[in-house]
Amino acid sequence: MQILRCPAQLQLLEETLRKSLPSTLPVLGTVMTVARGNPASHEVLVDSWPHFGIVLTRLRPEEHRDPMDYYTNQLAVFYRDKGALQTLLEGTEAVTRAQAFQILGTQDGLDEAVQEAASARGLKVE
């Protein structure tokens, strides 16, 4: 996963996400916040740039104060390809399994993908 920091990249991503509202809403707000100064210390990750399959927003890892606080440890996701979501959940370090977290998203199939990834690791999902 690649962290987007460049203002031009964030602006282009914002424009792209606006075209797919309302399904992009969970990540669009964070992308806009990061592009405008990032007072909440979030980061925006994509699987590839500029042709991304998935966008993930999260609190910067150094800002995590309580690993069991899943309200603070929120992730928001938008994906174009369900396979990119599976890869994110099963094979990347972008989602830290050592702490409690919750994933926000509005797309069909998100719940099933999270359940499958958790079951494969023997983890509990609420």
Side-chain angles (χ1 to χ4, degrees):
M1 297 288 291
Q2 173 183 346
I3 300 172
L4 297 185
R5 293 186 178 97
C6 173
Q9 289 177 329
L10 291 167
Q11 181 64 35
L12 181 59
L13 179 59
E14 183 180 330
E15 291 170 9
T16 303
L17 293 173
R18 284 181 187 274
K19 294 175 185 173
S20 297
L21 282 169
S23 61
T24 59
L25 194 57
V27 295
L28 179 59
T30 304
V31 171
M32 292 173 64
T33 300
V34 170
R36 288 162 180 77
N38 199 15
S41 298
H42 281 87
E43 57 188 13
V44 177
L45 296 90
V46 293
D47 58 346
S48 60
W49 186 257
H51 304 290
F52 61 89
I54 192 164
V55 179
L56 175 77
T57 63
R58 66 180 185 189
L59 189 65
R60 288 184 186 150
E62 62 270 14
E63 297 295 324
H64 291 283
R65 294 193 175 44
D66 182 0
M68 299 313 294
D69 182 0
Y70 57 87
Y71 288 110
T72 302
N73 303 328
Q74 289 185 5
L75 310 173
V77 65
F78 168 74
Y79 54 92
R80 293 179 172 167
D81 174 23
K82 202 169 180 181
L85 176 64
Q86 286 297 115
T87 300
L88 171 75
L89 294 173
E90 294 173 359
T92 69
E93 294 302 317
V95 177
T96 306
R97 289 160 195 86
Q99 65 190 28
F101 63 88
Q102 59 181 320
I103 296 180
L104 307 173
T106 60
Q107 294 169 277
D108 289 336
L110 178 60
D111 290 339
E112 293 84 14
V114 170
Q115 290 286 349
E116 288 172 16
S119 293
R121 286 193 152 60
L123 301 172
K124 179 182 173 187
V125 176
E126 293 179 14

